[in-house]
Amino acid sequence: MSFGQCEKVYVSGRVIDSLNPQAFYNIMIVDRSSGRGVFGQPDGTFSVYVSSGDKLSISTKGYPIYEFIAKPDSNCQCKVLAYIEKLPQEIKEVVI
């Protein structure tokens, strides 16, 4: 089977904060090609069916958006391991 012959691709993966292991309660995986999205699990795992070549975004509050293309393997699957780091917080200057 050729990689381009996958009608649907099973995308599964996990989001990991590389500096601070924690639970994610607001992970959203959005298929930018179709406009549809699904929520991930608190442990950072997710799965969704998309079309081959679709652009996906992983979004969670306080983190940069992680984007990738669904490229199927020979089993019409795409596995993703997304390492992310929290955005730096800016704090107003305090004069004492």
Side-chain angles (χ1 to χ4, degrees):
M1 177 185 292
S2 172
F3 299 139
Q5 293 181 345
C6 297
E7 187 174 317
K8 289 291 180 184
V9 179
Y10 179 71
V11 178
S12 63
R14 184 162 187 210
V15 178
I16 298 171
D17 182 335
S18 57
L19 296 177
N20 185 18
Q22 65 179 28
F24 295 100
Y25 292 100
N26 57 355
I27 292 178
M28 182 74 155
I29 294 79
V30 178
D31 182 342
R32 297 283 185 188
S33 303
S34 70
R36 288 184 265 160
V38 297
F39 285 102
Q41 299 299 313
D43 66 356
T45 59
F46 63 89
S47 62
V48 63
Y49 281 96
V50 299
S51 297
S52 179
D54 281 2
K55 183 177 182 179
L56 290 100
S57 297
I58 301 173
S59 175
T60 188
K61 186 176 180 181
Y63 291 86
I65 294 173
Y66 183 92
E67 295 183 323
F68 64 97
I69 304 291
K71 295 180 184 175
D73 62 14
S74 59
N75 294 320
C76 294
Q77 296 182 11
C78 176
K79 296 186 189 223
V80 177
L81 191 53
Y83 287 96
I84 59 174
E85 292 180 7
K86 211 167 207 171
L87 292 171
Q89 294 181 351
E90 292 188 22
I91 301 172
K92 292 183 180 181
E93 179 181 358
V94 176
V95 178
I96 300 177

